[in-house]
Amino acid sequence: MPEPKIHGIIAYPVTPFTEADGIDTARLAALVDRLVSSGVHAIAPLGSTGELAYLDEPEFDAVVDTTIATVAGRVPVVVGVSDVTTAKTIRRAKYAQQAGADAVMILPVSYWKLTEREIVAHYRSIGDAISLPIMAYNNPATSGVDMSPELLVKMFETIDNVKMVKESTGDLTRMRRITELSGGRLPFYNGSNPLVLDALKAGAAGWCTAAPNLRPQPCIDLYEAVRAGDLEKAQLLYDDLKPLLEFIVAGGLATTVKAGLDLIGFPVGDPRAPLLPLDEQGRAQLKALVG
């Protein structure tokens, strides 16, 4: 199967805030340019790392505009557009398309537990409203909604725009099941940082990760080593990265990545309340991992 257009290291930038708690678009542009220049293969603003859940609509639009203008076509841009309501998700997806995004990523978020019928209707409504490819994002730990491999493949087969899956449960059998059920036609992307080596070896088309904010080159090298079949090198790179990957996941991506950027001399402000900045003990641990 040919390599998908969106592949490799898909980097998730944080959303920088000013001291007055507004979007720092200049700092965001600098961060995005830094990531693209490091050699990552795609940029994905407005995921969990980008604090999408805590942004209002003008702020969402500002992040989309700034990111796409800064990337300037150098790599694909996958915009997270998820919201509790279908209507607002559609508005965000339309805005991302108008701004020039290459794809949108959608996590089915709901206060009420969604049925499979409701999940399919949600994705179908969004797909009908846009022409962009959709990356269906499964992360029940944050959304409270778990989409089975069977459901994901069903949507791939019945909704034209659903072209990719980001699987973040950390369950390798689900990734293999997606491949099996779709006959290898549905690309899956790893969203579980600690699982990355096994996922890439199992055929993941890419790794969706916040780690390149702090250590881009080892992430890129790991992906390239697996693709080249050099599994010994890949294992060494993974062993080196693993403590950082486990730390940023356990401590909350926005909180830990923002603290890490500050520690390496690229401050981007604090996370937005109710999130809190990393405490001093955490900063000391993180300093040893990024220093």
Side-chain angles (χ1 to χ4, degrees):
M1 187 172 68
E3 190 168 60
K5 175 185 177 184
I6 297 169
H7 68 93
I9 302 302
I10 302 167
Y12 282 66
V14 296
T15 299
F17 295 121
T18 65
E19 289 187 7
D21 200 35
I23 304 291
D24 190 337
T25 54
R27 203 59 172 157
L28 175 60
L31 176 61
V32 169
D33 185 65
R34 183 172 176 268
L35 285 166
V36 175
S37 299
S38 75
V40 300
H41 303 94
I43 296 291
L46 298 166
S48 304
T49 305
E51 300 179 71
L52 171 60
Y54 305 130
L55 304 185
D56 62 27
E57 296 309 281
E59 290 174 329
F60 171 91
D61 296 353
V63 171
V64 171
D65 291 340
T66 300
T67 302
I68 291 173
T70 302
V71 171
R74 290 177 286 173
V75 296
V77 176
V78 183
V79 176
V81 299
S82 310
D83 187 72
V84 172
T85 69
T86 300
K88 191 180 286 185
T89 306
I90 287 173
R91 191 212 75 83
R92 291 174 170 180
K94 284 182 171 180
Y95 192 91
Q97 177 169 290
Q98 173 192 338
D102 296 276
V104 294
M105 182 178 68
I106 300 170
L107 180 74
V109 184
S110 181
Y111 179 85
W112 297 106
K113 182 177 175 60
L114 297 177
T115 65
E116 287 199 357
R117 184 170 68 95
E118 289 166 335
I119 293 168
V120 171
H122 180 64
Y123 277 92
R124 190 181 307 280
S125 295
I126 300 160
D128 287 345
I130 60 173
S131 59
L132 289 180
I134 293 170
M135 178 183 285
Y137 177 19
N138 189 47
N139 190 354
T142 56
S143 71
V145 178
D146 191 4
M147 296 186 288
S148 68
E150 288 77 11
L151 174 59
L152 290 164
V153 172
K154 174 185 174 182
M155 292 198 299
F156 166 66
E157 292 176 339
T158 60
I159 302 172
D160 289 344
N161 306 57
V162 175
K163 301 293 187 184
M164 305 164 274
V165 169
K166 177 185 173 185
E167 173 55 60
S168 296
T169 59
D171 183 350
L172 196 62
T173 62
R174 288 175 176 245
M175 299 181 184
R176 292 179 173 139
R177 183 69 173 151
I178 289 168
T179 299
E180 176 189 347
L181 289 170
S182 70
R185 294 176 298 124
L186 176 55
F188 70 87
Y189 298 76
N190 175 59
S192 172
N193 281 302
L195 189 70
V196 57
L197 179 56
D198 287 338
L200 290 174
K201 290 194 292 186
W207 174 22
C208 302
T209 177
N213 287 281
L214 304 177
R215 296 190 64 196
Q217 197 59 52
C219 298
I220 296 165
D221 291 345
L222 173 58
Y223 171 73
E224 296 293 353
V226 174
R227 192 164 68 162
D230 191 345
L231 299 186
E232 182 177 350
K233 179 180 179 181
Q235 184 68 57
L236 290 172
L237 287 161
Y238 173 72
D239 290 343
D240 176 55
L241 275 170
K242 185 179 178 183
L244 175 63
L245 299 179
E246 292 179 338
F247 184 90
I248 63 175
V249 170
L253 292 171
T255 295
T256 55
V257 171
K258 285 189 168 183
L261 284 166
D262 185 52
L263 288 167
I264 63 176
F266 195 95
V268 290
D270 292 334
R272 178 168 280 177
L275 300 179
L276 292 174
L278 192 62
D279 61 25
E280 287 306 313
Q281 180 181 353
R283 286 175 65 89
Q285 290 178 265
L286 184 54
K287 186 174 183 179
L289 298 173
V290 299

